[in-house]
Amino acid sequence: MSSTPTYAQLRSVGSYRPSHVLTNETVAAHLDVNETWLHRRTGIRTRRVADDRETLAYMGAQAAVTATRRAGASTDTVDCLIAASMTHQDHGASLARSIADLLPEPPRAALDVNAACAGFCVALELARCLIQGHTFNTVLVVGSERMRDIITDDDRATAPVFADGAGAVLLHGAPEPGIGSPAWGSDPARRHLITRPDPRQADGELSPLQMQGPQVYRWVIDHLPDVATTALERAGVDVHDLAAFIPHQSNDRIITALSVALALPPHVTVVRDITHSGNTAAASIPMAMDTLLQTRPDLAGKLALLLGYGAGMTFAAQVVQLP
C-alpha cells in the first residue's frame, strides 16, 4: 500500500441528453392544465424523454465516454465504475457492469448505488473513499435515469417534473484534495413522501412513483440548508468561497428557496439546468455541472457546493473543486 497521501479530484464531466424533447404544451394537454401553470409551478419549459434504444446503460456509457475523452484519457485507464440510479429495474444484473461493458475498454470493477436523487453525491463520496484508501486511482461515477418509465402522464405531482438523461464525472488521485467530506444521511420518518409502495402490480406492470410535492418542499426547506452548511464547514469554507451552487434539479422554486436560505452572495452562480432538462434524479447534478462548465468554462477549478436529496428522504452534500 502506498504511504504517499492521495486525495481525489474531479478531472472532467460529461452528459447525455435524449434526442426527444417533451414540451410543456404536450404535458399540459395530458393534465388538462395550461403551460403557464406548469412553468410557474416547476420552472421547467422542456424535458427529455429516452426512446427504446436509449437504455440506462447506453445513456450512461455515452456520458462516461464523453467525460473520459474530455479528460484526455481513455477508458482503459479507469479502475472502477460506480453507477447511481433509482430506475434500474433488473435487480439481478448490475447497471454499472452493463455500462462498463459498453465502454471501449471496460474497467473490471463496477458497482451500483441507489440513494435516489442523492445517488450521485453518495456515489461521489464512495469514489473519494476508494481513491483516498488507495484501492483505485481512477474512478468513473455515472448517474443514469429513465424517470419517465416510473411515472404516469396524468399524475400532476410527477408528470410535469421528471425526465431522462445521464451524467458522468471522472475522478483521479491527486496530491491536493478536490472533494470535501460530505454531510449525508436520511430521514426515515419522512420516507412516505416519495415512494413506490408496490414496485410491481398484480398485472405485472410496474407501479408508478408517488410524490407528495408540498410536503417534500417543506421538508427540503426546513432541513437541507443545515445539511449544506455542515458540508461547507467540513470543507473549511463558507458561501463566499463558492463560485457555484449545483443542487439536485428537483424544482425551480426549491432551488430558489435553498439559495435564499443559504444567503448565497451575488457572485455565486446558481445552476438551473432544470429549465430544459427537467428532474433527472441521480443524473441531475452531473448533467447540471456539465451545463455550467459548457456555458461558464471560466469556473473550472473553482469551488461548487453540491446538494442532492430525494426518495427515502436521502440527502448528501459536499464541496468540490470543479474540473
Side-chain angles (χ1 to χ4, degrees):
M1 180 180 293
S2 171
S3 60
T4 304
T6 302
Y7 299 96
Q9 290 186 346
L10 296 179
R11 192 171 172 187
S12 60
V13 61
S15 63
Y16 179 85
R17 298 164 199 272
S19 57
H20 178 62
V21 177
L22 182 62
T23 65
N24 279 352
E25 180 181 15
T26 302
V27 175
H30 282 290
L31 298 176
D32 193 24
V33 298
N34 61 58
E35 297 173 61
T36 302
W37 180 87
L38 278 185
H39 181 255
R40 185 173 63 247
R41 187 168 180 250
T42 65
I44 300 171
R45 293 195 180 278
T46 60
R47 69 243 351 112
R48 300 297 183 97
V49 179
D51 62 25
D52 291 342
R53 177 184 63 92
E54 294 167 317
T55 63
L56 289 173
Y58 175 85
M59 294 191 296
Q62 294 298 308
V65 167
T66 298
T68 307
R69 185 183 69 244
R70 286 177 177 169
S74 60
T75 57
D76 64 356
T77 65
V78 177
D79 301 312
C80 178
L81 189 150
I82 305 173
S85 180
M86 65 178 290
T87 52
H88 179 49
Q89 307 295 340
D90 184 0
H91 300 296
S94 165
L95 174 60
R97 184 72 265 159
S98 297
I99 294 172
D101 289 344
L102 292 177
L103 301 183
E105 300 90 6
R108 294 184 66 182
L111 64 147
D112 292 359
V113 168
N114 182 359
C117 302
F120 174 78
C121 292
V122 171
L124 194 62
E125 170 59 9
L126 178 56
R128 182 182 79 96
C129 291
L130 289 170
I131 290 172
Q132 292 188 188
H134 303 283
T135 302
F136 300 120
N137 186 65
T138 305
V139 179
L140 271 168
V141 174
V142 181
S144 186
E145 300 283 18
R146 286 177 54 110
M147 295 300 294
R148 304 301 296 186
D149 287 350
I150 63 169
I151 65 171
T152 57
D153 290 339
D154 60 354
D155 185 347
R156 291 193 180 191
T158 59
V161 176
F162 289 106
D164 305 336
V169 294
L170 185 69
L171 294 81
H172 66 155
E176 299 293 332
I179 302 173
S181 296
W184 62 352
S186 63
D187 184 355
R190 304 289 187 277
R191 62 189 301 176
H192 61 282
L193 298 182
I194 308 174
T195 184
R196 292 177 70 194
D198 297 303
R200 195 168 291 278
Q201 302 178 103
D203 59 4
E205 293 295 317
L206 294 173
S207 65
L209 185 73
Q210 298 176 16
M211 181 171 68
Q212 299 179 37
Q215 292 92 327
V216 171
Y217 177 92
R218 288 193 291 272
W219 176 84
V220 169
I221 303 311
D222 288 345
H223 296 280
L224 295 196
D226 287 343
V227 172
T229 300
T230 300
L232 291 168
E233 292 170 351
R234 290 179 178 174
V237 301
D238 65 27
V239 291
H240 298 281
D241 299 309
L242 297 174
F245 176 43
I246 311 177
H248 166 48
Q249 304 292 294
S250 57
N251 179 294
D252 190 65
R253 292 190 300 163
I254 290 179
I255 293 172
T256 297
L258 285 170
S259 302
V260 171
L262 291 170
L264 297 178
H267 73 267
V268 177
T269 299
V270 179
V271 184
R272 300 177 188 272
D273 191 45
I274 190 170
T275 303
H276 298 294
S277 297
N279 179 342
T280 55
S284 78
I285 288 178
M287 290 175 68
M289 185 186 297
D290 190 23
T291 293
L292 172 68
L293 291 173
Q294 293 303 304
T295 56
R296 291 289 307 276
D298 57 300
L299 295 186
K302 304 293 180 63
L303 297 181
L305 171 64
L306 313 184
L307 177 60
Y309 48 89
M313 307 330 283
T314 55
F315 55 85
Q318 64 259 90
V319 176
V320 303
Q321 183 178 27
L322 291 168

